[in-house]
Amino acid sequence: MWFAIVGTDVLDSLEKRKSARPEHLARLEKLHAEGRLLLAGPFPAIESEDPGPAGFTGSLIVAEFPSQADARRWADADPYVAAGVYASVEVKPFRKTLP
């Protein structure tokens, strides 16, 4: 099943994001290579593809896992969690309807 993983950043998370980003992306690339990643990306803090110093307010990952518990374990092991980027992480089942 698909699961939506929504991470909400702490204030002023940009430097923490930058330092943990290579490891964060490596995990997403592994999911993609396995055919288990539907989409992933950050929420810019302002209406801009590149928000610059305004940074980001969180991230959305939609990926396939055997169970919600597996999705939660994967989310909890994210380098952004270890680096203190996320204030909270929510994991919800997701049903793709369109397109």
Side-chain angles (χ1 to χ4, degrees):
M1 175 160 208
W2 295 110
F3 291 90
I5 299 168
V6 181
T8 302
D9 283 22
V10 298
L11 292 176
D12 300 319
S13 63
L14 188 57
E15 291 308 313
K16 292 176 183 179
R17 271 184 170 267
K18 287 179 182 178
S19 68
R21 189 168 191 265
E23 295 85 9
H24 173 78
L25 288 179
R27 295 177 84 232
L28 293 172
E29 289 166 1
K30 183 176 186 293
L31 283 179
H32 180 65
E34 294 169 353
R36 297 173 46 210
L37 183 64
L38 184 62
L39 64 90
F43 299 117
I46 59 174
E47 189 177 341
S48 174
E49 283 288 317
D50 180 3
F56 301 91
T57 62
S59 303
L60 170 64
I61 299 165
V62 180
E64 187 177 35
F65 293 93
S67 69
Q68 189 165 357
D70 290 319
R72 169 54 68 185
R73 277 189 290 279
W74 186 90
D76 288 345
D78 194 297
Y80 280 180
V81 171
V85 172
Y86 293 147
S88 64
V89 178
E90 190 171 8
V91 178
K92 294 181 176 186
F94 178 81
R95 190 179 78 183
K96 183 180 183 285
T97 303
L98 292 172

